[in-house]
PDB file of all heavy atoms in Angstrom:
ATOM      1  N   GLN A 213     140.697 170.539 226.263  1.00 97.00           N
ATOM      2  CA  GLN A 213     140.609 171.171 224.988  1.00 97.00           C
ATOM      3  C   GLN A 213     141.555 170.464 224.031  1.00 97.00           C
ATOM      4  O   GLN A 213     142.776 170.316 224.324  1.00 97.00           O
ATOM      5  CB  GLN A 213     141.009 172.647 225.065  1.00 97.00           C
ATOM      6  CG  GLN A 213     141.050 173.405 223.773  1.00 97.00           C
ATOM      7  CD  GLN A 213     141.348 174.842 223.899  1.00 97.00           C
ATOM      8  OE1 GLN A 213     140.838 175.523 224.818  1.00 97.00           O
ATOM      9  NE2 GLN A 213     142.228 175.370 223.076  1.00 97.00           N
ATOM     10  N   VAL A 214     141.028 170.047 222.864  1.00 97.00           N
ATOM     11  CA  VAL A 214     141.813 169.399 221.852  1.00 97.00           C
ATOM     12  C   VAL A 214     141.912 170.315 220.671  1.00 97.00           C
ATOM     13  O   VAL A 214     140.926 170.883 220.192  1.00 97.00           O
ATOM     14  CB  VAL A 214     141.165 168.047 221.441  1.00 97.00           C
ATOM     15  CG1 VAL A 214     141.924 167.444 220.276  1.00 97.00           C
ATOM     16  CG2 VAL A 214     141.144 167.088 222.607  1.00 97.00           C
ATOM     17  N   ALA A 215     143.131 170.550 220.158  1.00 98.00           N
ATOM     18  CA  ALA A 215     143.389 171.521 219.115  1.00 98.00           C
ATOM     19  C   ALA A 215     142.687 171.070 217.775  1.00 98.00           C
ATOM     20  O   ALA A 215     142.486 169.874 217.565  1.00 98.00           O
ATOM     21  CB  ALA A 215     144.871 171.658 218.892  1.00 98.00           C
ATOM     22  N   PRO A 216     142.390 172.065 216.960  1.00 98.00           N
ATOM     23  CA  PRO A 216     141.804 171.718 215.625  1.00 98.00           C
ATOM     24  C   PRO A 216     142.723 170.781 214.851  1.00 98.00           C
ATOM     25  O   PRO A 216     143.942 170.980 214.753  1.00 98.00           O
ATOM     26  CB  PRO A 216     141.683 173.078 214.898  1.00 98.00           C
ATOM     27  CG  PRO A 216     141.551 174.064 216.059  1.00 98.00           C
ATOM     28  CD  PRO A 216     142.413 173.516 217.159  1.00 98.00           C
ATOM     29  N   HIS A 217     142.115 169.756 214.308  1.00 98.00           N
ATOM     30  CA  HIS A 217     142.796 168.766 213.499  1.00 98.00           C
ATOM     31  C   HIS A 217     141.779 168.186 212.513  1.00 98.00           C
ATOM     32  O   HIS A 217     140.565 168.460 212.631  1.00 98.00           O
ATOM     33  CB  HIS A 217     143.375 167.611 214.427  1.00 98.00           C
ATOM     34  CG  HIS A 217     142.258 166.902 215.171  1.00 98.00           C
ATOM     35  ND1 HIS A 217     141.621 167.441 216.274  1.00 98.00           N
ATOM     36  CD2 HIS A 217     141.631 165.688 214.959  1.00 98.00           C
ATOM     37  CE1 HIS A 217     140.671 166.603 216.684  1.00 98.00           C
ATOM     38  NE2 HIS A 217     140.675 165.536 215.905  1.00 98.00           N
ATOM     39  N   PHE A 218     142.205 167.365 211.609  1.00 97.00           N
ATOM     40  CA  PHE A 218     141.252 166.682 210.725  1.00 97.00           C
ATOM     41  C   PHE A 218     141.428 165.207 210.832  1.00 97.00           C
ATOM     42  O   PHE A 218     142.474 164.696 211.227  1.00 97.00           O
ATOM     43  CB  PHE A 218     141.413 167.157 209.238  1.00 97.00           C
ATOM     44  CG  PHE A 218     142.679 166.663 208.589  1.00 97.00           C
ATOM     45  CD1 PHE A 218     142.732 165.447 207.979  1.00 97.00           C
ATOM     46  CD2 PHE A 218     143.826 167.454 208.606  1.00 97.00           C
ATOM     47  CE1 PHE A 218     143.924 164.972 207.367  1.00 97.00           C
ATOM     48  CE2 PHE A 218     145.012 166.997 207.970  1.00 97.00           C
ATOM     49  CZ  PHE A 218     145.046 165.744 207.360  1.00 97.00           C
ATOM     50  N   ASP A 219     140.371 164.450 210.513  1.00 96.00           N
ATOM     51  CA  ASP A 219     140.421 163.015 210.427  1.00 96.00           C
ATOM     52  C   ASP A 219     140.084 162.585 209.018  1.00 96.00           C
ATOM     53  O   ASP A 219     139.204 163.176 208.333  1.00 96.00           O
ATOM     54  CB  ASP A 219     139.453 162.408 211.447  1.00 96.00           C
ATOM     55  CG  ASP A 219     139.807 162.747 212.877  1.00 96.00           C
ATOM     56  OD1 ASP A 219     140.943 162.565 213.273  1.00 96.00           O
ATOM     57  OD2 ASP A 219     138.925 163.296 213.587  1.00 96.00           O
ATOM     58  N   LEU A 220     140.650 161.464 208.576  1.00 94.00           N
ATOM     59  CA  LEU A 220     140.339 160.947 207.275  1.00 94.00           C
ATOM     60  C   LEU A 220     138.925 160.323 207.227  1.00 94.00           C
ATOM     61  O   LEU A 220     138.200 160.549 206.243  1.00 94.00           O
ATOM     62  CB  LEU A 220     141.399 159.904 206.882  1.00 94.00           C
ATOM     63  CG  LEU A 220     141.208 159.267 205.492  1.00 94.00           C
ATOM     64  CD1 LEU A 220     141.218 160.308 204.372  1.00 94.00           C
ATOM     65  CD2 LEU A 220     142.308 158.230 205.249  1.00 94.00           C
ATOM     66  N   PRO A 221     138.469 159.569 208.238  1.00 95.00           N
ATOM     67  CA  PRO A 221     137.135 159.036 208.186  1.00 95.00           C
ATOM     68  C   PRO A 221     136.084 160.092 208.365  1.00 95.00           C
ATOM     69  O   PRO A 221     136.332 161.186 208.933  1.00 95.00           O
ATOM     70  CB  PRO A 221     137.129 158.013 209.337  1.00 95.00           C
ATOM     71  CG  PRO A 221     138.537 157.830 209.746  1.00 95.00           C
ATOM     72  CD  PRO A 221     139.231 159.125 209.424  1.00 95.00           C
ATOM     73  N   ASP A 222     134.853 159.805 207.881  1.00 96.00           N
ATOM     74  CA  ASP A 222     133.666 160.540 208.324  1.00 96.00           C
ATOM     75  C   ASP A 222     133.412 160.151 209.771  1.00 96.00           C
ATOM     76  O   ASP A 222     133.830 159.114 210.247  1.00 96.00           O
ATOM     77  CB  ASP A 222     132.490 160.202 207.424  1.00 96.00           C
ATOM     78  CG  ASP A 222     132.651 160.745 206.031  1.00 96.00           C
ATOM     79  OD1 ASP A 222     132.765 161.967 205.861  1.00 96.00           O
ATOM     80  OD2 ASP A 222     132.640 159.925 205.072  1.00 96.00           O
ATOM     81  N   ASN A 223     132.651 161.008 210.464  1.00 96.00           N
ATOM     82  CA  ASN A 223     132.545 160.879 211.904  1.00 96.00           C
ATOM     83  C   ASN A 223     131.153 161.350 212.375  1.00 96.00           C
ATOM     84  O   ASN A 223     130.734 162.441 211.968  1.00 96.00           O
ATOM     85  CB  ASN A 223     133.674 161.715 212.557  1.00 96.00           C
ATOM     86  CG  ASN A 223     133.641 161.670 214.057  1.00 96.00           C
ATOM     87  OD1 ASN A 223     132.947 160.872 214.673  1.00 96.00           O
ATOM     88  ND2 ASN A 223     134.423 162.547 214.653  1.00 96.00           N
ATOM     89  N   ILE A 224     130.518 160.554 213.193  1.00 98.00           N
ATOM     90  CA  ILE A 224     129.378 161.075 213.953  1.00 98.00           C
ATOM     91  C   ILE A 224     129.821 161.053 215.459  1.00 98.00           C
ATOM     92  O   ILE A 224     130.108 160.012 216.014  1.00 98.00           O
ATOM     93  CB  ILE A 224     128.125 160.223 213.789  1.00 98.00           C
ATOM     94  CG1 ILE A 224     127.583 160.400 212.369  1.00 98.00           C
ATOM     95  CG2 ILE A 224     127.023 160.666 214.778  1.00 98.00           C
ATOM     96  CD1 ILE A 224     126.283 159.613 212.120  1.00 98.00           C
ATOM     97  N   ALA A 225     129.873 162.224 216.004  1.00 98.00           N
ATOM     98  CA  ALA A 225     130.243 162.427 217.420  1.00 98.00           C
ATOM     99  C   ALA A 225     128.987 162.608 218.249  1.00 98.00           C
ATOM    100  O   ALA A 225     128.221 163.553 217.986  1.00 98.00           O
ATOM    101  CB  ALA A 225     131.183 163.623 217.588  1.00 98.00           C
ATOM    102  N   CYS A 226     128.781 161.718 219.208  1.00 98.00           N
ATOM    103  CA  CYS A 226     127.547 161.746 220.017  1.00 98.00           C
ATOM    104  C   CYS A 226     127.934 162.116 221.479  1.00 98.00           C
ATOM    105  O   CYS A 226     128.658 161.372 222.133  1.00 98.00           O
ATOM    106  CB  CYS A 226     126.864 160.354 220.048  1.00 98.00           C
ATOM    107  SG  CYS A 226     126.484 159.697 218.402  1.00 98.00           S
ATOM    108  N   VAL A 227     127.515 163.256 221.894  1.00 98.00           N
ATOM    109  CA  VAL A 227     127.846 163.703 223.259  1.00 98.00           C
ATOM    110  C   VAL A 227     126.912 162.982 224.219  1.00 98.00           C
ATOM    111  O   VAL A 227     125.686 162.945 224.103  1.00 98.00           O
ATOM    112  CB  VAL A 227     127.639 165.200 223.416  1.00 98.00           C
ATOM    113  CG1 VAL A 227     127.815 165.646 224.874  1.00 98.00           C
ATOM    114  CG2 VAL A 227     128.643 165.961 222.541  1.00 98.00           C
ATOM    115  N   VAL A 228     127.531 162.288 225.229  1.00 98.00           N
ATOM    116  CA  VAL A 228     126.741 161.466 226.146  1.00 98.00           C
ATOM    117  C   VAL A 228     126.792 162.008 227.576  1.00 98.00           C
ATOM    118  O   VAL A 228     125.974 161.642 228.392  1.00 98.00           O
ATOM    119  CB  VAL A 228     127.159 159.985 226.111  1.00 98.00           C
ATOM    120  CG1 VAL A 228     126.901 159.395 224.718  1.00 98.00           C
ATOM    121  CG2 VAL A 228     128.634 159.835 226.494  1.00 98.00           C
ATOM    122  N   ALA A 229     127.744 162.868 227.907  1.00 98.00           N
ATOM    123  CA  ALA A 229     127.819 163.480 229.214  1.00 98.00           C
ATOM    124  C   ALA A 229     128.544 164.797 229.150  1.00 98.00           C
ATOM    125  O   ALA A 229     129.535 164.922 228.392  1.00 98.00           O
ATOM    126  CB  ALA A 229     128.558 162.527 230.212  1.00 98.00           C
ATOM    127  N   GLY A 230     128.063 165.806 229.860  1.00 98.00           N
ATOM    128  CA  GLY A 230     128.687 167.087 229.821  1.00 98.00           C
ATOM    129  C   GLY A 230     128.417 167.820 228.490  1.00 98.00           C
ATOM    130  O   GLY A 230     127.897 167.252 227.554  1.00 98.00           O
ATOM    131  N   ARG A 231     128.773 169.108 228.481  1.00 98.00           N
ATOM    132  CA  ARG A 231     128.633 169.915 227.261  1.00 98.00           C
ATOM    133  C   ARG A 231     129.945 169.946 226.481  1.00 98.00           C
ATOM    134  O   ARG A 231     131.010 169.983 227.091  1.00 98.00           O
ATOM    135  CB  ARG A 231     128.180 171.306 227.616  1.00 98.00           C
ATOM    136  CG  ARG A 231     126.822 171.376 228.310  1.00 98.00           C
ATOM    137  CD  ARG A 231     126.660 172.765 228.974  1.00 98.00           C
ATOM    138  NE  ARG A 231     127.677 172.923 230.013  1.00 98.00           N
ATOM    139  CZ  ARG A 231     128.347 174.115 230.258  1.00 98.00           C
ATOM    140  NH1 ARG A 231     128.103 175.166 229.527  1.00 98.00           N
ATOM    141  NH2 ARG A 231     129.236 174.168 231.200  1.00 98.00           N
ATOM    142  N   ARG A 232     129.826 169.988 225.138  1.00 98.00           N
ATOM    143  CA  ARG A 232     131.042 170.084 224.308  1.00 98.00           C
ATOM    144  C   ARG A 232     130.796 171.159 223.254  1.00 98.00           C
ATOM    145  O   ARG A 232     129.727 171.279 222.679  1.00 98.00           O
ATOM    146  CB  ARG A 232     131.371 168.762 223.638  1.00 98.00           C
ATOM    147  CG  ARG A 232     131.786 167.703 224.642  1.00 98.00           C
ATOM    148  CD  ARG A 232     132.815 166.785 224.048  1.00 98.00           C
ATOM    149  NE  ARG A 232     133.258 165.837 225.131  1.00 98.00           N
ATOM    150  CZ  ARG A 232     134.406 165.181 225.056  1.00 98.00           C
ATOM    151  NH1 ARG A 232     135.231 165.339 224.033  1.00 98.00           N
ATOM    152  NH2 ARG A 232     134.739 164.335 226.000  1.00 98.00           N
ATOM    153  N   ARG A 233     131.854 171.897 222.999  1.00 98.00           N
ATOM    154  CA  ARG A 233     131.855 172.894 221.948  1.00 98.00           C
ATOM    155  C   ARG A 233     132.760 172.465 220.828  1.00 98.00           C
ATOM    156  O   ARG A 233     133.948 172.215 221.039  1.00 98.00           O
ATOM    157  CB  ARG A 233     132.290 174.252 222.475  1.00 98.00           C
ATOM    158  CG  ARG A 233     132.396 175.371 221.450  1.00 98.00           C
ATOM    159  CD  ARG A 233     132.583 176.728 222.072  1.00 98.00           C
ATOM    160  NE  ARG A 233     131.409 177.044 222.860  1.00 98.00           N
ATOM    161  CZ  ARG A 233     131.431 177.895 223.921  1.00 98.00           C
ATOM    162  NH1 ARG A 233     132.528 178.552 224.263  1.00 98.00           N
ATOM    163  NH2 ARG A 233     130.274 178.131 224.576  1.00 98.00           N
ATOM    164  N   PHE A 234     132.203 172.410 219.638  1.00 98.00           N
ATOM    165  CA  PHE A 234     133.016 172.019 218.459  1.00 98.00           C
ATOM    166  C   PHE A 234     133.152 173.277 217.572  1.00 98.00           C
ATOM    167  O   PHE A 234     132.161 173.957 217.262  1.00 98.00           O
ATOM    168  CB  PHE A 234     132.242 170.983 217.641  1.00 98.00           C
ATOM    169  CG  PHE A 234     132.200 169.597 218.277  1.00 98.00           C
ATOM    170  CD1 PHE A 234     131.327 169.315 219.309  1.00 98.00           C
ATOM    171  CD2 PHE A 234     133.028 168.552 217.831  1.00 98.00           C
ATOM    172  CE1 PHE A 234     131.270 168.060 219.892  1.00 98.00           C
ATOM    173  CE2 PHE A 234     132.978 167.319 218.395  1.00 98.00           C
ATOM    174  CZ  PHE A 234     132.102 167.046 219.429  1.00 98.00           C
ATOM    175  N   THR A 235     134.382 173.527 217.216  1.00 98.00           N
ATOM    176  CA  THR A 235     134.717 174.639 216.277  1.00 98.00           C
ATOM    177  C   THR A 235     135.274 174.004 215.020  1.00 98.00           C
ATOM    178  O   THR A 235     136.310 173.378 215.046  1.00 98.00           O
ATOM    179  CB  THR A 235     135.718 175.621 216.879  1.00 98.00           C
ATOM    180  OG1 THR A 235     135.221 176.127 218.165  1.00 98.00           O
ATOM    181  CG2 THR A 235     135.945 176.784 215.972  1.00 98.00           C
ATOM    182  N   LEU A 236     134.532 174.172 213.907  1.00 98.00           N
ATOM    183  CA  LEU A 236     134.880 173.491 212.669  1.00 98.00           C
ATOM    184  C   LEU A 236     135.286 174.506 211.611  1.00 98.00           C
ATOM    185  O   LEU A 236     134.764 175.594 211.548  1.00 98.00           O
ATOM    186  CB  LEU A 236     133.668 172.681 212.140  1.00 98.00           C
ATOM    187  CG  LEU A 236     133.460 171.280 212.743  1.00 98.00           C
ATOM    188  CD1 LEU A 236     133.095 171.317 214.220  1.00 98.00           C
ATOM    189  CD2 LEU A 236     132.333 170.579 211.980  1.00 98.00           C
ATOM    190  N   PHE A 237     136.250 174.071 210.779  1.00 98.00           N
ATOM    191  CA  PHE A 237     136.745 174.854 209.652  1.00 98.00           C
ATOM    192  C   PHE A 237     136.747 173.982 208.384  1.00 98.00           C
ATOM    193  O   PHE A 237     137.129 172.793 208.434  1.00 98.00           O
ATOM    194  CB  PHE A 237     138.166 175.336 209.919  1.00 98.00           C
ATOM    195  CG  PHE A 237     138.288 176.137 211.188  1.00 98.00           C
ATOM    196  CD1 PHE A 237     138.651 175.468 212.391  1.00 98.00           C
ATOM    197  CD2 PHE A 237     138.101 177.494 211.218  1.00 98.00           C
ATOM    198  CE1 PHE A 237     138.809 176.182 213.548  1.00 98.00           C
ATOM    199  CE2 PHE A 237     138.252 178.216 212.394  1.00 98.00           C
ATOM    200  CZ  PHE A 237     138.627 177.544 213.557  1.00 98.00           C
TER     201      PHE A 237
END
């Protein structure tokens, strides 16, 4: 689990293995 944070770049996150839950604000 990675805590909520922001990144300056735009981002496309592609899940390639396992399930991932994204919580966005």
Side-chain angles (χ1 to χ4, degrees):
Q213 178 178 316
V214 175
H217 62 283
F218 70 87
D219 297 307
L220 181 59
D222 291 300
N223 178 11
I224 291 182
C226 305
V227 174
V228 296
R231 298 163 297 140
R232 293 214 176 201
R233 176 169 297 157
F234 290 77
T235 304
L236 276 65
F237 304 92

